[in-house]
Amino acid sequence: MAPFEPAALPELLPVFYRRLFPHGPYGRWLGYGGVVKNYFQLREFSFTLRDDVYVRFQSFSSPQELERELQKINPYKIDIGAVYSHRPNQHNTVRPGAFQPQEKELVFDIDMTDYDDVRTCCSSADICSKCWTLMTIAVRVIDRALTEDLGMRHRLWVYSGRRGVHCWVCDDAVRKWSPALRAATVEYLTLVKGRADTVKKVNLSYPVHPFIRRSVAVVEKYFEEYALVGQDILGSPESWDKVLALVPEEHREALQGEFPRRKDSVQRWEVLRGRMERTRGRGAAPCYADWEIMLQFCFPRLDINVSKGVGHLLKSPFSVHPKTGRISVPLDLQTLDQFDPFAVPTITSLCHELDTAGSDGEQEDVGETEPKRRARDYKRTSLAPYVRVFEQFVEGMESARRGERLRRSDIQGDF
Amino acid sequence: MEFSSRTRQKHLRLAGDRRELYPHSLQFYLEPPTESISLVEFESFAIDRLRLLKVVENLGVSYVRSTDSYKTKLENELRKLKFPYRALAEDDYEARRKDHISHFILRLAYCQSEDLRRWFLQQEMDLFRYRFSQLTDGLMQKFLEHVNLSFEAVSEDLKTELANELCASTPGLSLPKVKEQMFYKVGLADAVDLFRTRRVFVKDGFAYVPFKEIDAIVLNNYRTKLSKALALTARSLPSIQSDERLQPLLNHLSHSYVGPDYSVQKNTGKISLEQIDSLSVKSFPLCMRQLHKALRDSHHLRHGGRMQYGLFLKGIGLTLEQALEFWKKEFIRGKVDADKFDKGYAYSIRHSYGKEGKRTDYTPYSCMKIIMSNPPSQGDYHGCPFRHSDPELLKQKLQSYKIPPSGITQILELVKGMHYQLACQKYFELTHEVDDIGFSLNHPNQYFTESQRLLSGGREPKKELSTSGNSQQKNNSQESMNLNSTPTSSNTTADTELEGLEAYFTED
């Protein structure tokens, strides 16, 4: 299969927006059931066109108009912004200061480059199957907190297309959250603190908040496979010295002595963990260094700036990544552990699949309308399962809205 | 049954009828006052509250908020200005009414820009925090019910089930303490600070807050409400600003200086020109010392500098004749010939003494005015050095004036926190070798007067006197309450009523 060539985008994008992009569910998502008047019309979109031309404050009177425009403009990249007080495409006609962002989904952006200090296999924009586990852990940790602690229901996790994941929280109440509350959420979810030169980035003290305890429980499930086997963080004196730098002095020497006598990271970790656990059992001076190490190597690192601003723009699901050609596809939480970022379809591979499917001579229904045929096109490609996940997400919100309407009419006695 | 129209209700002013408006000494200021008040009361209430908030600001920088000195000083101020200061006082009606009305008046003045809103919000919050902390538990409970902040209490069963989690999440609460204290389910938006710092148990979108943390919640709630209200009032700005009754008053309130205006020169002629050089080192505030030095060095000052320094000199007692001689001597050395001086600059000096043109006797600039208007550009020496100078240059200047390094550090800290007048106060303390300046600095001429008083032995330097602060305030209220060159509309009489202002506070 031909690799992705950015130069081919001008040819591929029209095909993508005509036959692959899931306009239907996308419009249903952002329309939010039409409950709030003009919600869709007040939404900002931004497009990146060729030659890095960037246009903001695009808005459309309906999902259909958006579809037509996408097929006309064929943007390289789509970003979604906030729902504003006035139609974004008319913002110049509004009195200065009156044009304000009103609502937006709460979003999170987790980027692999933020973990460079604890990755040995790759750095900066590179990722591999070994370090991808970090993203799996991040999704699990954050998603648990969003549902159990914060009571959020409608979360969409999306592969960013290269080296990270995004999360869109779409609950009605959350879309109205202030910047302060969004920033507070990121702070609540932050355990790894410090700049490049900070050695110890996680510091725990008694008593440990339930959020931390539960997050450690999630990390623990992946730690052995990822850190001990995959990254082999205790595999050699150089690497285990880095880890022991995170352990308080009084324990370091003993561990330094014990480590050479064990044969691999897994065994060495057992020594360290056992020792820490015993301090906690004793009651006096509990030490959490084992948890701190796990968290420093694995706990998610969020970018507060992405989440804080109501007006902040974020790459749209199903947007194409201009460098890798990969589609930003939704993640299925049920099969998250098996997700392989290298198996995500690229725009090239999808178009290729369409060609092949077409030439298979599949009988097309003569009476079938053009849009209907197009709508089923993506189903013939590897994009299908991802669109299915997206549809389930949208249906989840729609059913919740119906439930809410029923509940309200029951209370009011309307029939 | 009586059908009382809204207008009729507005004119009911029997005190007894309105007491039910203020069941508590504390309030969230949710409803604007609907009564009519006189212009005089309007102005005096506003000025008193402004004084109060400025004291709140100063105390907040100089003292830790929970200490006794902070609390005592603030209580004194509240009592002096006749605002509610004791939560239990029953016959507090007048004070509560003043509190209510003055808050809303200041909203009109302070909604006008982001900076003003931020300042007003900060001081009102500090004031609220203090007053709330003074409530007894019983009163606190009543107040919370009154403002509909009675959060859902966590049932005993649920608390037992969650006991370990609650104990682990809430700092300072052991298991037995958890069992005896009430917990409340509070929405995350109401408990932002506790949520953010993970100091509460969070489950299913709610924070489980112990009773002892409820004040942080209340404060947050107050901040949110006031912030929204200010933004709302700001939207009425165009109509506020075109309201002829208010415009002259509010225009200056947010920039106002509420003390003596130094236009009445009691010491006219008591300063000789030969003294000015040494006075500039001993008794001038830094801004005037800087201007004087620049004048001596370059034999010239631009317009902004001439105005600021010239009026200051008038305020310390220079007569018109002395001023003319002073400026002329200096400018001639700067290659301005005598004729040109007489034709141009002399006219301008006479003008500022009220002897030309419309004969307005201009008043020397207050600190507020110097800090906030007409910032200096390249080649200017006016303005406030603490506000307008580059901190590095300011540091060098202070070093050259032999200010001790620790003092310089303190000054720079205050500058960083944007407390320019406090920085100048610190400069006063360091140059006069006193621990406490003893007054609240608002005006360069005040600096000069106080300095002269100190140096001539008219005041105890090293002891902190609360009375000297008081006497300053007494001066302020006895002298005319003229806001700096505020023209009150010549049509209004002292008894004029202001009606219909509540429209500015409500959404249509």
Side-chain angles (χ1 to χ4, degrees):
Chain A
M1 202 236 311
F4 167 72
E5 303 272 344
L9 277 174
E11 270 175 53
L12 301 171
L13 287 168
V15 179
F16 178 73
Y17 288 115
R18 250 167 243 288
R19 299 171 68 182
L20 294 163
F21 189 92
H23 297 284
Y26 194 79
R28 278 158 52 210
W29 168 33
L30 294 175
Y32 284 99
V35 173
V36 175
K37 208 168 71 127
N38 289 334
Y39 207 70
F40 188 85
Q41 291 83 335
L42 297 170
R43 170 82 67 171
E44 179 192 0
F45 295 88
S46 78
F47 296 147
T48 309
L49 313 175
R50 59 198 251 173
D51 299 323
D52 277 330
V53 173
Y54 181 66
V55 289
R56 269 195 75 171
F57 299 115
Q58 307 298 297
S59 61
F60 309 94
S61 15
S62 66
Q64 291 73 22
E65 194 198 332
L66 170 63
E67 178 178 349
R68 284 195 301 275
E69 287 304 302
L70 286 175
Q71 288 164 353
K72 200 165 78 177
I73 304 176
N74 296 302
Y76 276 36
K77 183 163 163 284
I78 307 171
D79 290 322
I80 300 178
V83 172
Y84 279 81
S85 53
H86 303 77
R87 293 189 186 214
N89 63 3
Q90 293 170 1
H91 75 285
N92 287 319
T93 67
V94 181
R95 188 167 56 86
F99 177 68
Q100 295 294 336
Q102 308 287 90
E103 296 188 14
K104 193 175 67 70
E105 295 72 14
L106 172 62
V107 293
F108 299 100
D109 179 354
I110 306 173
D111 191 319
M112 198 74 90
T113 47
D114 292 333
Y115 294 75
D116 279 357
D117 58 316
V118 289
R119 284 195 291 167
T120 50
C121 49
C122 310
S123 70
S124 79
D126 307 320
I127 57 168
C128 69
S129 52
K130 277 205 240 162
C131 50
W132 183 258
T133 315
L134 285 172
M135 291 296 110
T136 311
I137 298 174
V139 174
R140 291 274 183 232
V141 167
I142 302 289
D143 203 61
R144 183 215 67 80
L146 294 179
T147 41
E148 289 176 19
D149 296 3
L150 305 182
M152 296 172 180
R153 300 276 154 255
H154 306 288
R155 300 113 34 228
L156 179 69
W157 286 92
V158 182
Y159 171 55
S160 75
R162 187 161 59 160
R163 58 185 194 223
V165 293
H166 300 158
C167 178
W168 297 75
V169 181
C170 305
D171 296 32
D172 287 341
V174 178
R175 299 201 308 274
K176 299 181 170 64
W177 279 16
S178 68
L181 197 43
R182 291 168 201 248
T185 307
V186 174
E187 270 193 70
Y188 177 82
L189 299 171
T190 297
L191 285 179
V192 180
K193 296 183 193 164
R195 298 174 322 212
D197 50 358
T198 318
V199 173
K200 188 140 192 259
K201 299 192 164 115
V202 182
N203 289 285
L204 304 177
S205 55
Y206 176 84
V208 174
H209 192 279
F211 164 76
I212 300 176
R213 235 185 332 100
R214 299 205 176 111
S215 303
V216 169
V218 175
V219 171
E220 246 170 357
K221 296 203 193 101
Y222 295 88
F223 187 71
E224 182 173 315
E225 177 65 39
Y226 165 71
L228 302 175
V229 176
Q231 298 285 319
D232 203 17
I233 61 173
L234 299 174
S236 70
E238 288 103 16
S239 48
W240 77 57
D241 275 346
K242 288 206 200 109
V243 177
L244 288 180
L246 307 178
V247 175
E249 280 215 49
E250 61 260 33
H251 297 283
R252 234 180 268 162
E253 224 183 281
L255 293 168
Q256 292 271 21
E258 194 54 37
F259 277 6
R261 296 206 247 138
R262 304 298 164 132
K263 71 169 182 174
D264 61 22
S265 287
V266 176
Q267 287 192 354
R268 288 175 200 126
W269 178 253
E270 201 35 55
V271 175
L272 195 158
R273 198 189 60 79
R275 196 182 170 92
M276 294 305 133
E277 243 175 38
R278 280 193 298 278
T279 68
R280 297 198 282 270
R282 267 204 303 255
C287 185
Y288 294 98
D290 52 334
W291 289 10
E292 288 163 342
I293 293 168
M294 283 198 281
L295 295 171
Q296 182 152 336
F297 277 84
C298 303
F299 190 85
R301 299 156 183 223
L302 302 173
D303 183 348
I304 191 169
N305 294 311
V306 172
S307 310
K308 188 165 69 169
V310 178
H312 193 102
L313 293 145
L314 187 65
K315 183 136 158 289
S316 167
F318 293 102
S319 189
V320 182
H321 195 293
K323 297 207 175 73
T324 63
R326 298 208 191 270
I327 314 298
S328 293
V329 291
L331 301 174
D332 184 353
L333 293 182
Q334 314 272 35
T335 57
L336 185 66
D337 290 11
Q338 289 79 43
F339 179 79
D340 177 8
F342 299 100
V344 171
T346 63
I347 187 174
T348 313
S349 67
L350 287 173
C351 291
H352 185 76
E353 285 178 50
L354 279 179
D355 288 339
T356 326
S359 68
D360 271 351
E362 196 183 290
Q363 252 328 335
E364 281 161 16
D365 213 337
V366 174
E368 198 174 40
T369 59
E370 178 74 5
K372 248 196 178 161
R373 181 167 64 79
R374 286 209 203 129
R376 295 195 301 125
D377 272 345
Y378 71 80
K379 291 196 183 159
R380 310 190 206 179
T381 67
S382 1
L383 200 58
Y386 300 105
V387 178
R388 186 77 205 104
V389 172
F390 187 54
E391 276 175 341
Q392 278 169 344
F393 166 73
V394 178
E395 276 158 25
M397 285 201 293
E398 285 169 342
S399 116
R401 273 193 291 268
R402 275 193 303 274
E404 185 58 28
R405 265 204 309 275
L406 282 174
R407 201 181 63 84
R408 288 234 184 94
S409 71
D410 274 353
I411 291 174
Q412 289 168 358
D414 298 340
F415 293 97
Chain B
M1 176 166 134
E2 254 192 288
F3 294 95
S4 34
S5 68
R6 253 190 116 214
T7 13
R8 225 167 358 133
Q9 274 180 340
K10 268 203 268 191
H11 289 289
L12 276 176
R13 282 205 271 143
L14 302 171
D17 289 89
R18 311 214 122 227
R19 262 175 224 279
E20 77 282 4
L21 275 181
Y22 307 122
H24 298 273
S25 67
L26 192 57
Q27 61 164 297
F28 265 9
Y29 311 103
L30 296 174
E31 292 299 321
T34 52
E35 54 178 296
S36 318
I37 75 171
S38 70
L39 207 60
V40 166
E41 212 174 29
F42 185 93
E43 204 175 332
S44 82
F45 278 8
I47 290 178
D48 280 352
R49 195 181 192 86
L50 186 56
R51 287 215 181 97
L52 175 65
L53 294 186
K54 291 212 160 134
V55 167
V56 168
E57 179 183 26
N58 280 353
L59 290 179
V61 176
S62 321
Y63 298 91
V64 174
R65 287 194 198 101
S66 48
T67 56
D68 282 333
S69 15
Y70 176 86
K71 289 187 191 168
T72 327
K73 283 179 195 278
L74 189 45
E75 179 179 318
N76 283 341
E77 199 63 31
L78 285 165
R79 188 185 306 172
K80 208 174 7 144
L81 292 169
K82 300 208 177 42
F83 285 108
Y85 65 91
R86 254 186 320 147
L88 286 170
E90 282 305 318
D91 51 2
D92 224 6
Y93 170 70
E94 286 303 327
R96 293 178 193 186
R97 175 177 169 265
K98 178 171 176 171
D99 180 45
H100 183 212
I101 295 175
S102 62
H103 171 93
F104 275 90
I105 299 174
L106 285 195
R107 266 201 212 176
L108 293 175
Y110 279 81
C111 68
Q112 296 183 42
S113 78
E114 182 61 44
D115 280 342
L116 290 175
R117 285 196 292 269
R118 199 179 306 136
W119 184 87
F120 182 68
L121 191 63
Q122 180 63 50
Q123 312 321 322
E124 285 284 341
M125 283 217 4
D126 281 352
L127 180 61
F128 186 91
R129 184 189 287 116
Y130 164 75
R131 294 167 67 189
F132 188 77
S133 71
Q134 296 293 94
L135 295 174
T136 61
D137 277 1
L139 281 176
M140 203 178 278
Q141 198 71 23
K142 279 215 196 105
F143 174 68
L144 288 180
E145 278 164 23
H146 179 67
V147 292
N148 287 323
L149 277 186
S150 352
F151 300 108
E152 182 189 324
V154 173
S155 71
E156 278 308 309
D157 290 337
L158 187 55
K159 206 161 61 133
T160 318
E161 202 184 302
L162 295 173
N164 286 318
E165 320 273 271
L166 293 173
C167 179
S169 334
T170 323
L173 276 192
S174 60
L175 211 50
K177 284 222 194 104
V178 164
K179 296 208 156 99
E180 51 175 53
Q181 185 147 142
M182 277 292 258
F183 274 78
Y184 298 88
K185 260 175 85 169
V186 177
L188 291 177
D190 285 324
V192 182
D193 280 327
L194 294 172
F195 165 51
R196 175 173 74 83
T197 50
R198 248 182 270 121
R199 291 205 312 263
V200 275
F201 180 59
V202 176
K203 182 161 132 79
D204 229 6
F206 285 95
Y208 286 66
V209 182
F211 179 71
K212 75 178 176 77
E213 298 279 8
I214 284 292
D215 63 346
I217 310 278
V218 177
L219 211 65
N220 197 52
N221 201 278
Y222 178 59
R223 184 207 285 126
T224 314
K225 288 186 156 76
L226 185 52
S227 182
K228 266 204 200 116
L230 281 175
L232 189 69
T233 315
R235 294 219 287 269
S236 313
L237 255 183
S239 33
I240 295 173
Q241 284 174 341
S242 60
D243 189 320
E244 280 172 3
R245 308 165 291 173
L246 303 179
Q247 198 250 6
L249 297 163
L250 294 178
N251 232 358
H252 286 131
L253 200 58
S254 52
H255 292 169
S256 84
Y257 158 67
V258 291
D261 58 10
Y262 298 98
S263 58
V264 178
Q265 279 97 59
K266 291 184 258 183
N267 352 304
T268 331
K270 292 223 184 98
I271 310 273
S272 78
L273 293 184
E274 293 73 40
Q275 293 176 290
I276 293 187
D277 281 323
S278 80
L279 282 175
S280 78
V281 174
K282 286 191 302 190
S283 289
F284 281 12
L286 194 60
C287 53
M288 302 304 173
R289 181 173 178 176
Q290 175 174 286
L291 278 164
H292 180 74
K293 183 157 191 311
L295 178 62
R296 285 286 191 236
D297 288 345
S298 6
H299 311 300
H300 187 267
L301 274 183
R302 289 203 191 153
H303 181 259
R306 294 199 302 272
M307 289 305 287
Q308 183 175 323
Y309 189 37
L311 289 172
F312 170 76
L313 290 174
K314 182 171 82 152
I316 69 174
L318 235 59
T319 62
L320 176 57
E321 292 65 37
Q322 284 177 303
L324 286 167
E325 188 188 330
F326 174 73
W327 290 98
K328 185 168 181 176
K329 258 204 196 135
E330 204 58 52
F331 271 52
I332 284 180
R333 286 163 69 189
K335 320 282 193 321
V336 170
D337 65 53
D339 267 351
K340 182 166 180 211
F341 182 86
D342 288 333
K343 285 196 186 117
Y345 297 106
Y347 176 88
S348 159
I349 296 170
R350 282 200 301 278
H351 194 282
S352 59
Y353 271 76
K355 303 281 185 258
E356 298 281 358
K358 57 183 168 136
R359 316 276 159 153
T360 320
D361 197 6
Y362 290 96
T363 50
Y365 298 167
S366 65
C367 290
M368 188 61 88
K369 179 160 179 163
I370 293 173
I371 289 170
M372 296 197 60
S373 42
N374 192 23
S377 17
Q378 196 63 19
D380 285 323
Y381 294 92
H382 64 268
C384 172
F386 301 104
R387 163 83 177 87
H388 296 119
S389 282
D390 176 75
E392 261 315 300
L393 294 177
L394 177 62
K395 182 171 166 188
Q396 284 171 26
K397 181 168 297 182
L398 293 171
Q399 281 168 340
S400 74
Y401 292 162
K402 310 278 196 303
I403 310 286
S406 57
I408 297 184
T409 312
Q410 285 176 309
I411 290 180
L412 292 176
E413 268 308 302
L414 288 167
V415 166
K416 202 158 91 162
M418 289 165 56
H419 305 291
Y420 309 117
Q421 284 153 274
L422 293 177
C424 193
Q425 283 179 203
K426 183 79 344 204
Y427 171 78
F428 182 103
E429 285 166 7
L430 292 163
T431 48
H432 292 74
E433 286 172 356
V434 293
D435 287 334
D436 188 320
I437 193 176
F439 64 93
S440 212
L441 179 64
N442 284 316
H443 199 296
N445 288 89
Q446 176 196 24
Y447 185 110
F448 179 81
T449 312
E450 291 291 333
S451 168
Q452 285 288 288
R453 191 137 52 100
L454 186 60
L455 293 172
S456 65
R459 215 189 84 185
E460 280 270 357
K462 286 228 184 272
K463 223 167 48 175
E464 201 256 271
L465 280 184
S466 52
T467 48
S468 64
N470 285 357
S471 65
Q472 182 71 16
Q473 295 285 16
K474 274 212 205 86
N475 267 340
N476 291 349
S477 50
Q478 276 165 10
E479 304 224 8
S480 66
M481 284 213 262
N482 288 332
L483 302 174
N484 235 345
S485 44
T486 306
T488 42
S489 167
S490 51
N491 291 335
T492 56
T493 64
D495 288 337
T496 307
E497 313 261 279
L498 290 171
E499 303 179 341
L501 298 181
E502 63 268 21
Y504 295 134
F505 300 109
T506 47
E507 189 119 55
D508 350 86

